[in-house]
Amino acid sequence: MNDSYTQLISYVENQMPFNKHLGIRIRHLEKGFARLYLPYQPEFTGDPRRPALHGGVLSTLVDTCGGVAIWTCCEVEDAIATIDMRVDYLRPAPQGSLFAEARVRLLGNRVGNVQTIIYAQDCQDRIIAEGRAVYNIRRRTKS
């Protein structure tokens, strides 16, 4: 793993307060691709009568994984911000840990487009949600 990926992992996992609070971990990075892991917490449950994870947890994972995938094509110092995002909830998310995988579909100088899938830890073939997002890229010039 190259040094910029090591810096990116440290930044996403340890210096972004919301990601740290949720326990999001990066499992794999390559240019244009990211795989993230979200360990289960009982507080992620939406309606306990179902029981299923809250859709906001899934959308957060889609957004974070997509942003990280874009970041693999940029410098760690660049700023990545979500412009637009859509999440299709395909089935209830079981109470358990989740994975998300995002692939960059289109990358311009200032905008990137990503597709993300979410699946349960124990069943990669059963997609729980799919997301598509567009991110703004603000390049930081080094002084």
Side-chain angles (χ1 to χ4, degrees):
M1 185 168 298
N2 69 41
D3 189 47
S4 65
Y5 286 175
T6 303
Q7 290 176 357
L8 179 57
I9 290 168
S10 177
Y11 182 70
V12 170
E13 291 182 355
N14 302 313
Q15 296 175 29
M16 298 179 86
F18 193 55
N19 293 348
K20 188 174 182 177
H21 175 73
L22 294 176
I24 291 174
R25 294 287 174 251
I26 296 175
R27 289 293 187 237
H28 182 77
L29 294 177
E30 57 189 68
K31 188 170 184 173
F33 177 84
R35 180 180 303 116
L36 272 58
Y37 172 73
L38 179 68
Y40 172 72
Q41 295 180 37
E43 296 81 11
F44 292 166
T45 301
D47 182 347
R49 297 172 294 177
R50 289 189 79 177
L53 300 184
H54 191 280
V57 172
L58 301 178
S59 64
T60 295
L61 196 52
V62 165
D63 190 24
T64 303
C65 195
V68 171
I70 289 288
W71 242 325
T72 65
C73 301
C74 301
E75 301 296 324
V76 177
E77 298 81 17
D78 293 341
I80 309 298
T82 310
I83 295 172
D84 188 43
M85 185 176 74
R86 173 193 169 103
V87 179
D88 294 325
Y89 301 98
L90 305 176
R91 56 183 45 92
Q95 291 182 316
S97 299
L98 300 175
F99 280 94
E101 293 184 359
R103 292 191 187 280
V104 175
R105 296 298 184 197
L106 181 69
L107 183 68
N109 201 29
R110 288 186 249 163
V111 175
N113 181 288
V114 178
Q115 184 173 10
T116 304
I117 61 167
I118 295 178
Y119 54 91
Q121 180 175 359
D122 60 351
C123 191
Q124 185 173 354
D125 295 333
R126 191 172 158 94
I127 297 173
I128 295 167
E130 294 179 332
R132 285 163 298 289
V134 180
Y135 298 88
N136 175 260
I137 304 163
R138 185 177 296 151
R139 310 279 181 178
R140 304 284 190 199
T141 56
K142 293 183 182 181
S143 31

